[in-house]
Amino acid sequence: MSISKEKVMGCVKSSGLTLATMFGVIGGVIFGLALRQTDRKWTDREVMYVSYLGELFLRMLKALILPLIVPSLITAVGSLDMSLSGRVGGRAVGYYMGTTVLAVILGIILVTTIHPGVSGQEKSGKKVESREVTTPDTLLDLIRQMFPPNLLQATMQQYRTSLIHPGCENENCTGYYDDSGQWRDPNNTSTWKFKGEWTNGSNILGLVFFAIILGIALATLGEKGKPLLNFFTCMADAMMTITTWVINLAPVGVFFLIGGQVLGVEDLGTVVNQLGWYFSTVLIGLFVHGFIALPIIFTVVTRTLPFRFIANMTNAFTTAFGTGSSSATLPVTINLLETKNNIDPRVCRFVLPIGATINMDGTALYEAVAAIFISQVNNMQLSIGQILAVSVTATAASIGAAGIPQAGLVTMVMVLETVGLPAEDVTIILAVDWLLDRFRTAINVLGDSLGAGIVYHLSKDELDGMDGLEGKPKQHPEGGFESVPMTDIDEINGEHKNSK
């Protein structure tokens, strides 16, 4: 009995935080629904007070993103052999692109089969942040983000192309030649004037790209680059230590974040009646992709069942659901992969920051479903070419969507424009977007995690061979990753004893 009791206590101790975070999500929903039962209407200020502690938790997680991503990437790339880092990166990007395309195809099949759109669908009275954009500008801006002119500015601002409405010269608002001899058509955005502008928000893609280049440079320098590499290693480990402190606040933070969101949403009954089929279609797609398609890929590649791997990541999924941000969940994801799933830190800290930036399976699926749903509402039959355009644009838009809450809603405008749908129709789905955003964020994190496991499995022999050639254990040379599992250290120590 004493042995079984110790096992039970050990299980509770190791899974206590995960269980507490899950109860935080469930408790937050119940708490929000309970507050809604009162006769009075809650003001925006009162809702802000309710979610205040959750907001503080979210701010703490976001504060860790940059100081964790940049040193971790530099350390991971710098500690790998040049050819090996290329292979690891290639496998990661190949997995991310493949699963994103798979998610889009799945979403299109489901939305055309279930056909959730009904003509005459009511639009929300709320306004969504929208601006005039063209698809080429959006794609070019995505590439521009990879090359920030100022790294300090990249930590605070992003560049984007802004279009200037030319104005109408006559009652019919037809095209005309302006003073400079350029053709301007108010009805054709590609003929409008444009300018560059800076908007608030970290340029994660540019910083990730720079970190990879700096890591490659340090790997090329060899011994000369080790002092700087050790500095970034130490910084990454310090950030992971702070992360473990912040993670312990997850149950309370998630509880108040969810509670405030449920309290602030409009009439839930009306939303379910109006958008029930659309909501169900997206959820079915996310479930099939996240818990059937991705685990099958994981099983085929690694020849192991994914259940324990996924179960170990539960705390990351609940945190993703609570915060609605894959970037804010990144510190939690890295910590769990290294400590519970024994993924080599060099792979984990290389692959995950890239994944949190470009791998948005859930967002890609949601944007494809939403675009075709809105076309169904407008009684618009999409041709095969238009459906292909939706799939390509949804994939590109999901890469361009920063890992922040509801960023997909902004890029949704680009997908609608591709097939000639009015941008303001995005308000049709606004009522349930806050909830779907949390589900698709959890699937994004699941995809990142399984991707790290797959890339590690494919790269394991090469990593071990590299360690054997250098005569060093799996940790980073002369610095070490503090979060390397103790089992690995025991195995290394055992090997040293045997060799003696």
Side-chain angles (χ1 to χ4, degrees), residues 57 70 147 149 180 205 210-211 256 261 271 291 299 398 495:
F57 169 68
V70 175
F147 306 97
S180 61
L205 189 61
F210 173 78
F256 286 104
Q261 189 71 66
V271 168
F291 295 100
T299 302
S398 68
E495 289 171 9

Side-chain angles (χ1 to χ4, degrees), residues 2-83:
S2 61
I3 296 174
S4 61
K5 186 178 178 181
E6 287 174 6
K7 284 184 178 179
V8 170
M9 291 302 293
C11 182
V12 170
K13 189 175 180 181
S14 62
S15 305
L17 183 61
T18 301
L19 293 171
T21 308
M22 290 180 67
F23 284 130
V25 172
I26 298 166
V29 173
I30 296 170
F31 177 60
L33 291 174
L35 292 179
R36 288 175 66 92
Q37 299 308 309
T38 57
D39 296 331
R40 56 192 294 275
K41 180 174 173 60
W42 291 79
T43 65
D44 292 341
R45 178 168 287 277
E46 289 169 333
V47 172
M48 182 269 287
Y49 289 149
V50 170
S51 58
Y52 182 68
L53 289 178
E55 182 192 343
L56 293 181
F57 169 68
L58 186 57
R59 290 167 77 97
M60 283 185 241
L61 278 179
K62 286 184 175 179
L64 290 171
I65 296 172
L66 287 184
L68 179 65
I69 283 182
V70 175
S72 295
L73 256 178
I74 293 171
T75 303
V77 178
S79 61
L80 291 174
D81 177 273
M82 281 289 291
S83 59

Side-chain angles (χ1 to χ4, degrees), residues 15 25 29 55 67 89 94 183 301 335 342 348 360 367 381 390 394 412 416 420 445 452 463 465 470 487:
S15 305
V25 172
V29 173
E55 182 192 343
W183 176 256
V301 174
N335 180 274
N342 298 345
C348 196
M360 301 285 178
E367 291 192 344
Q381 293 292 326
V390 166
M412 187 73 230
L416 293 178
V445 171
L463 288 166
E470 295 178 357
T487 51

Side-chain angles (χ1 to χ4, degrees), residues 86 97 120 150 283 481:
M97 292 296 101
N150 187 317
L283 279 192
F481 288 99

Side-chain angles (χ1 to χ4, degrees), residues 115-137:
H115 204 286
V118 179
S119 61
Q121 187 79 48
E122 289 184 28
K123 298 180 186 180
S124 169
K126 288 184 179 179
K127 288 187 177 180
V128 66
E129 180 199 344
S130 64
R131 60 190 181 93
E132 298 289 353
V133 293
T134 66
T135 302
D137 283 342

